[in-house]
Amino acid sequence: MSTQVRLAPSILAADFSRLGEEVKNVCDAGADWVHLDVMDGHFVPNISFGPAVIQSLRPYTDKVFDCHLMIAPADPYLEAFAKAGCDYITVHAEAGPHLHRSLQTIRALGKKAGVSLNPATPLSAIEHVMDDLDLILIMSVNPGFGGQKYIPAMTDKIRMAKSLIGDRPIHLEVDGGITAETAPIATAAGADVLVAGSAIFKGTSVDDYRKTVDTLRKAAEEAVARS
Ligand code: DX5
Ligand code: ZN
């Protein structure tokens, strides 16, 4: 994969009363992807939004919609998220017994397939589905809420995931507690997509968001250049 770092702001930290404008503003501020955190109050202890909201946001940008499904089961809803306009659809390895089938279903819907691992889930959970993947999402916090602290032990896991990927065309995304301090740690370990919610959605204007996007990108890319 290229060494370019992609920033994927999570709109979980945006102002929900004006989500369309928030998506447009953060994209105008230089975001590469839009990260969409879908929570069901069952797989994770929080509820966010579903495909109808995502569909209503789709006209606000052409940028990649990176959908992180924290729902169980996921399979009955994959088609709805594909139709809503998601480009990447990521399911959790812990969310069901048939991960391989979920990934194949996502690809059959014409979308990029991702798998996410909770902090306690070992990489061995995905070593036999590497040919069915377009993205690995390493959770660096326990999923469910924004604004948590990056778990330091995840840096080693990112490094191991990078080596498992080898030269396959698979993105390595890290999600949770990404700040100007932790972004360089994650990218030096091999991450090429960084999700950030609370670190990016500070202030309200495009200019506010541009400052935080630029700061994170600079910190992340300098670490890649050094490593
Ligand atoms: C947590 C979500 C994250 C979260 C990140 O369950 O998957 O995407 O919004 O938020 P921050 O960047 O605030 O940790
Ligand atoms: Zn997420």
Side-chain angles (χ1 to χ4, degrees), residues 10 12 35-39 66-70 92 116 137 139 143 173-176 195:
S10 164
L12 193 64
H35 187 78
L36 302 158
D37 283 311
V38 177
M39 304 179 180
D66 171 35
C67 181
H68 177 192
L69 294 181
M70 288 163 273
H92 266 261
S116 182
L137 170 51
M139 287 308 303
E173 182 173 41
V174 176
D175 185 2
V195 177

mmCIF file of all heavy atoms in Angstrom, residues 10 12 35-39 66-70 92 116 137 139 143 173-176 195, ligand 2:
data_model
loop_
_atom_site.group_PDB
_atom_site.id
_atom_site.type_symbol
_atom_site.label_atom_id
_atom_site.label_comp_id
_atom_site.label_asym_id
_atom_site.label_seq_id
_atom_site.Cartn_x
_atom_site.Cartn_y
_atom_site.Cartn_z
ATOM 1 N N SER A 10 -14.215 10.785 12.271
ATOM 2 C CA SER A 10 -15.439 10.095 12.680
ATOM 3 C C SER A 10 -16.495 11.133 13.023
ATOM 4 O O SER A 10 -16.311 11.934 13.947
ATOM 5 C CB SER A 10 -15.175 9.225 13.907
ATOM 6 O OG SER A 10 -16.428 8.879 14.478
ATOM 7 N N LEU A 12 -19.015 10.741 14.580
ATOM 8 C CA LEU A 12 -19.591 10.514 15.904
ATOM 9 C C LEU A 12 -19.349 11.730 16.804
ATOM 10 O O LEU A 12 -20.133 12.001 17.719
ATOM 11 C CB LEU A 12 -18.940 9.267 16.518
ATOM 12 C CG LEU A 12 -19.574 8.669 17.755
ATOM 13 C CD1 LEU A 12 -20.979 8.161 17.455
ATOM 14 C CD2 LEU A 12 -18.717 7.518 18.302
ATOM 15 N N HIS A 35 -15.547 8.680 8.249
ATOM 16 C CA HIS A 35 -15.724 7.457 9.038
ATOM 17 C C HIS A 35 -17.095 7.485 9.714
ATOM 18 O O HIS A 35 -17.432 8.434 10.433
ATOM 19 C CB HIS A 35 -14.605 7.364 10.071
ATOM 20 C CG HIS A 35 -14.568 6.086 10.843
ATOM 21 N ND1 HIS A 35 -14.057 4.907 10.332
ATOM 22 C CD2 HIS A 35 -14.975 5.793 12.103
ATOM 23 C CE1 HIS A 35 -14.148 3.950 11.236
ATOM 24 N NE2 HIS A 35 -14.714 4.459 12.336
ATOM 25 N N LEU A 36 -17.870 6.429 9.480
ATOM 26 C CA LEU A 36 -19.262 6.383 9.943
ATOM 27 C C LEU A 36 -19.406 5.263 10.968
ATOM 28 O O LEU A 36 -19.348 4.074 10.622
ATOM 29 C CB LEU A 36 -20.177 6.131 8.735
ATOM 30 C CG LEU A 36 -20.056 7.189 7.621
ATOM 31 C CD1 LEU A 36 -20.535 6.638 6.287
ATOM 32 C CD2 LEU A 36 -20.816 8.448 8.001
ATOM 33 N N ASP A 37 -19.570 5.628 12.224
ATOM 34 C CA ASP A 37 -19.628 4.658 13.319
ATOM 35 C C ASP A 37 -21.063 4.255 13.601
ATOM 36 O O ASP A 37 -21.841 5.026 14.165
ATOM 37 C CB ASP A 37 -19.024 5.281 14.581
ATOM 38 C CG ASP A 37 -17.510 5.310 14.536
ATOM 39 O OD1 ASP A 37 -16.911 4.260 14.232
ATOM 40 O OD2 ASP A 37 -16.931 6.384 14.783
ATOM 41 N N VAL A 38 -21.379 3.021 13.236
ATOM 42 C CA VAL A 38 -22.750 2.519 13.410
ATOM 43 C C VAL A 38 -22.793 1.611 14.639
ATOM 44 O O VAL A 38 -22.074 0.607 14.700
ATOM 45 C CB VAL A 38 -23.204 1.746 12.148
ATOM 46 C CG1 VAL A 38 -24.589 1.154 12.358
ATOM 47 C CG2 VAL A 38 -23.180 2.663 10.929
ATOM 48 N N MET A 39 -23.611 1.966 15.622
ATOM 49 C CA MET A 39 -23.663 1.226 16.901
ATOM 50 C C MET A 39 -25.095 0.819 17.207
ATOM 51 O O MET A 39 -26.019 1.596 16.978
ATOM 52 C CB MET A 39 -23.159 2.123 18.031
ATOM 53 C CG MET A 39 -21.776 2.667 17.782
ATOM 54 S SD MET A 39 -21.278 3.722 19.157
ATOM 55 C CE MET A 39 -19.656 4.229 18.615
ATOM 56 N N ASP A 66 -16.560 5.439 4.811
ATOM 57 C CA ASP A 66 -15.883 4.329 5.482
ATOM 58 C C ASP A 66 -16.761 3.925 6.669
ATOM 59 O O ASP A 66 -16.756 4.592 7.699
ATOM 60 C CB ASP A 66 -14.510 4.874 5.937
ATOM 61 C CG ASP A 66 -13.755 3.939 6.843
ATOM 62 O OD1 ASP A 66 -13.854 2.720 6.658
ATOM 63 O OD2 ASP A 66 -13.035 4.462 7.738
ATOM 64 N N CYS A 67 -17.519 2.857 6.471
ATOM 65 C CA CYS A 67 -18.557 2.506 7.441
ATOM 66 C C CYS A 67 -18.081 1.418 8.405
ATOM 67 O O CYS A 67 -17.710 0.325 7.972
ATOM 68 C CB CYS A 67 -19.787 2.041 6.656
ATOM 69 S SG CYS A 67 -21.149 1.611 7.716
ATOM 70 N N HIS A 68 -18.101 1.735 9.681
ATOM 71 C CA HIS A 68 -17.623 0.834 10.731
ATOM 72 C C HIS A 68 -18.840 0.294 11.475
ATOM 73 O O HIS A 68 -19.455 1.014 12.273
ATOM 74 C CB HIS A 68 -16.694 1.642 11.656
ATOM 75 C CG HIS A 68 -16.171 0.893 12.832
ATOM 76 N ND1 HIS A 68 -15.531 1.531 13.884
ATOM 77 C CD2 HIS A 68 -16.171 -0.427 13.145
ATOM 78 C CE1 HIS A 68 -15.168 0.629 14.785
ATOM 79 N NE2 HIS A 68 -15.552 -0.562 14.368
ATOM 80 N N LEU A 69 -19.179 -0.949 11.179
ATOM 81 C CA LEU A 69 -20.382 -1.544 11.767
ATOM 82 C C LEU A 69 -20.057 -2.184 13.108
ATOM 83 O O LEU A 69 -19.384 -3.224 13.170
ATOM 84 C CB LEU A 69 -20.964 -2.600 10.826
ATOM 85 C CG LEU A 69 -21.531 -2.108 9.494
ATOM 86 C CD1 LEU A 69 -22.100 -3.293 8.701
ATOM 87 C CD2 LEU A 69 -22.601 -1.041 9.708
ATOM 88 N N MET A 70 -20.554 -1.576 14.168
ATOM 89 C CA MET A 70 -20.434 -2.173 15.503
ATOM 90 C C MET A 70 -21.805 -2.722 15.846
ATOM 91 O O MET A 70 -22.488 -2.236 16.767
ATOM 92 C CB MET A 70 -19.960 -1.100 16.497
ATOM 93 C CG MET A 70 -18.497 -0.729 16.297
ATOM 94 S SD MET A 70 -18.038 0.829 17.078
ATOM 95 C CE MET A 70 -18.473 1.969 15.772
ATOM 96 N N HIS A 92 -17.086 -6.404 12.525
ATOM 97 C CA HIS A 92 -16.209 -6.883 13.592
ATOM 98 C C HIS A 92 -16.064 -8.397 13.521
ATOM 99 O O HIS A 92 -17.058 -9.114 13.320
ATOM 100 C CB HIS A 92 -16.762 -6.475 14.965
ATOM 101 C CG HIS A 92 -16.174 -5.196 15.440
ATOM 102 N ND1 HIS A 92 -15.133 -5.143 16.330
ATOM 103 C CD2 HIS A 92 -16.455 -3.917 15.093
ATOM 104 C CE1 HIS A 92 -14.802 -3.874 16.540
ATOM 105 N NE2 HIS A 92 -15.594 -3.121 15.802
ATOM 106 N N SER A 116 -12.755 -5.513 11.577
ATOM 107 C CA SER A 116 -12.230 -4.822 12.740
ATOM 108 C C SER A 116 -12.009 -5.800 13.886
ATOM 109 O O SER A 116 -12.759 -6.766 14.038
ATOM 110 C CB SER A 116 -13.218 -3.729 13.175
ATOM 111 O OG SER A 116 -12.683 -3.021 14.279
ATOM 112 N N LEU A 137 -9.114 -2.993 10.431
ATOM 113 C CA LEU A 137 -9.309 -1.881 11.365
ATOM 114 C C LEU A 137 -8.939 -2.356 12.770
ATOM 115 O O LEU A 137 -9.620 -3.206 13.356
ATOM 116 C CB LEU A 137 -10.774 -1.429 11.312
ATOM 117 C CG LEU A 137 -11.276 -0.430 12.353
ATOM 118 C CD1 LEU A 137 -10.371 0.786 12.426
ATOM 119 C CD2 LEU A 137 -12.679 0.023 12.006
ATOM 120 N N MET A 139 -8.847 -1.667 16.504
ATOM 121 C CA MET A 139 -9.432 -0.788 17.529
ATOM 122 C C MET A 139 -8.364 -0.500 18.580
ATOM 123 O O MET A 139 -7.834 -1.426 19.194
ATOM 124 C CB MET A 139 -10.629 -1.451 18.210
ATOM 125 C CG MET A 139 -11.889 -1.532 17.370
ATOM 126 S SD MET A 139 -12.445 0.021 16.639
ATOM 127 C CE MET A 139 -12.646 1.082 18.080
ATOM 128 N N PRO A 143 -14.584 -0.376 21.566
ATOM 129 C CA PRO A 143 -15.549 0.362 20.757
ATOM 130 C C PRO A 143 -16.803 0.734 21.545
ATOM 131 O O PRO A 143 -17.188 0.044 22.480
ATOM 132 C CB PRO A 143 -15.872 -0.621 19.628
ATOM 133 C CG PRO A 143 -15.563 -1.959 20.181
ATOM 134 C CD PRO A 143 -14.414 -1.767 21.125
ATOM 135 N N GLU A 173 -6.019 0.394 9.173
ATOM 136 C CA GLU A 173 -6.667 1.562 9.785
ATOM 137 C C GLU A 173 -6.644 1.414 11.307
ATOM 138 O O GLU A 173 -6.795 0.306 11.826
ATOM 139 C CB GLU A 173 -8.120 1.614 9.276
ATOM 140 C CG GLU A 173 -8.942 2.782 9.773
ATOM 141 C CD GLU A 173 -10.316 2.856 9.072
ATOM 142 O OE1 GLU A 173 -10.948 1.793 8.871
ATOM 143 O OE2 GLU A 173 -10.750 3.968 8.735
ATOM 144 N N VAL A 174 -6.467 2.528 11.984
ATOM 145 C CA VAL A 174 -6.452 2.518 13.451
ATOM 146 C C VAL A 174 -7.508 3.502 13.941
ATOM 147 O O VAL A 174 -7.656 4.605 13.404
ATOM 148 C CB VAL A 174 -5.050 2.858 13.994
ATOM 149 C CG1 VAL A 174 -5.068 2.949 15.518
ATOM 150 C CG2 VAL A 174 -4.058 1.796 13.551
ATOM 151 N N ASP A 175 -8.235 3.086 14.962
ATOM 152 C CA ASP A 175 -9.427 3.826 15.397
ATOM 153 C C ASP A 175 -9.493 3.888 16.918
ATOM 154 O O ASP A 175 -9.591 2.851 17.586
ATOM 155 C CB ASP A 175 -10.656 3.087 14.842
ATOM 156 C CG ASP A 175 -11.964 3.813 15.121
ATOM 157 O OD1 ASP A 175 -11.941 4.898 15.710
ATOM 158 O OD2 ASP A 175 -13.014 3.252 14.736
ATOM 159 N N GLY A 176 -9.445 5.125 17.447
ATOM 160 C CA GLY A 176 -9.648 5.316 18.880
ATOM 161 C C GLY A 176 -8.486 6.026 19.548
ATOM 162 O O GLY A 176 -7.358 5.536 19.506
ATOM 163 N N VAL A 195 -8.405 7.072 11.965
ATOM 164 C CA VAL A 195 -9.721 7.604 12.327
ATOM 165 C C VAL A 195 -9.504 8.567 13.487
ATOM 166 O O VAL A 195 -8.749 8.261 14.407
ATOM 167 C CB VAL A 195 -10.661 6.463 12.788
ATOM 168 C CG1 VAL A 195 -12.007 7.033 13.228
ATOM 169 C CG2 VAL A 195 -10.835 5.435 11.680
HETATM 170 ZN ZN ZN B 2 -14.969 3.695 14.272
#
